[in-house]
Amino acid sequence: MKNDFRRSRKGLHILKFMAMGAAFILAIGFVTMTLWNCLIPDLFHGPVITFWQALGLLLLGKLLFGWHNHHNRSWEDKWARGREWKAKLREKMAHMTPEEQARVREQLRNRCGRGFGGSRREGWERYWSDMDEAQRKPEEPNKDEQATS
């Protein structure tokens, strides 16, 4: 008995949510149609539109200009994303040897410093080809180290 009551309340909540959504869409459509029909024909000698055309204009505007789901974010939060990747990079660099750090810095300079074009790709190709050569050829010991042994 208790479960039936909960199911019916849940069903009522869903129906209420759907009815409120439909009412919201109707209200926004009629407000858009009314504003358009009051302003555009008088100001710009444009056409009078119907309710469905008003909804189409709203949908077109959303498709062209985005949905804007992040209303609560301030400019500070948006700039924080840039600081986050820098902090991650600093943390990674802290655990690298000086040679690895120099290689990553060179890689970033080649990627970001020269702008668009082929020079960016050449930098990456050079970076990866250097790594391939290092993996293929094991380093030979220095002659000074062999003499002291």
Side-chain angles (χ1 to χ4, degrees):
M1 180 74 179
K2 207 175 205 182
N3 286 338
D4 292 336
F5 181 69
R6 285 186 182 166
R7 283 186 196 156
S8 66
R9 285 190 70 186
K10 187 176 181 181
L12 287 175
H13 284 293
I14 291 172
L15 285 175
K16 187 170 42 170
F17 179 76
M18 290 173 64
M20 289 177 68
F24 178 75
I25 290 172
L26 283 170
I28 293 295
F30 277 113
V31 167
T32 303
M33 181 185 72
T34 305
L35 282 172
W36 180 282
N37 290 338
C38 288
L39 296 173
I40 300 300
D42 292 336
L43 294 175
F44 304 110
H45 305 290
V48 175
I49 63 171
T50 65
F51 171 75
W52 297 109
Q53 289 172 329
L55 285 181
L57 279 173
L58 288 172
L59 181 62
L60 180 65
K62 286 295 185 181
L63 289 173
L64 291 176
F65 300 115
W67 297 96
H68 305 292
N69 288 333
H70 31 67
H71 295 288
N72 296 331
R73 288 192 174 182
S74 65
W75 281 104
E76 209 170 285
D77 292 339
K78 292 176 184 175
W79 288 104
R81 285 186 245 148
R83 290 190 295 265
E84 290 172 3
W85 76 265
K86 288 179 185 177
K88 287 179 184 177
L89 183 62
R90 281 191 198 108
E91 185 178 332
K92 286 180 182 178
M93 295 281 277
H95 301 292
M96 292 181 182
T97 64
E99 294 84 18
E100 290 173 331
Q101 289 177 1
R103 183 170 283 173
V104 169
R105 283 190 189 106
E106 180 67 24
Q107 175 186 1
L108 288 173
R109 280 189 198 108
N110 289 335
R111 180 179 182 199
C112 303
R114 294 185 184 153
F116 298 105
S119 61
R120 274 178 59 188
R121 292 189 184 136
E122 290 168 5
W124 279 99
E125 289 169 2
R126 187 182 65 215
Y127 174 75
W128 292 114
S129 64
D130 289 347
M131 291 216 21
D132 291 339
E133 289 175 14
Q135 289 175 353
R136 285 186 207 140
K137 298 178 185 175
E139 291 185 24
E140 298 176 11
N142 292 341
K143 293 178 183 175
D144 296 332
E145 290 177 12
Q146 289 177 353
T148 58
S149 300

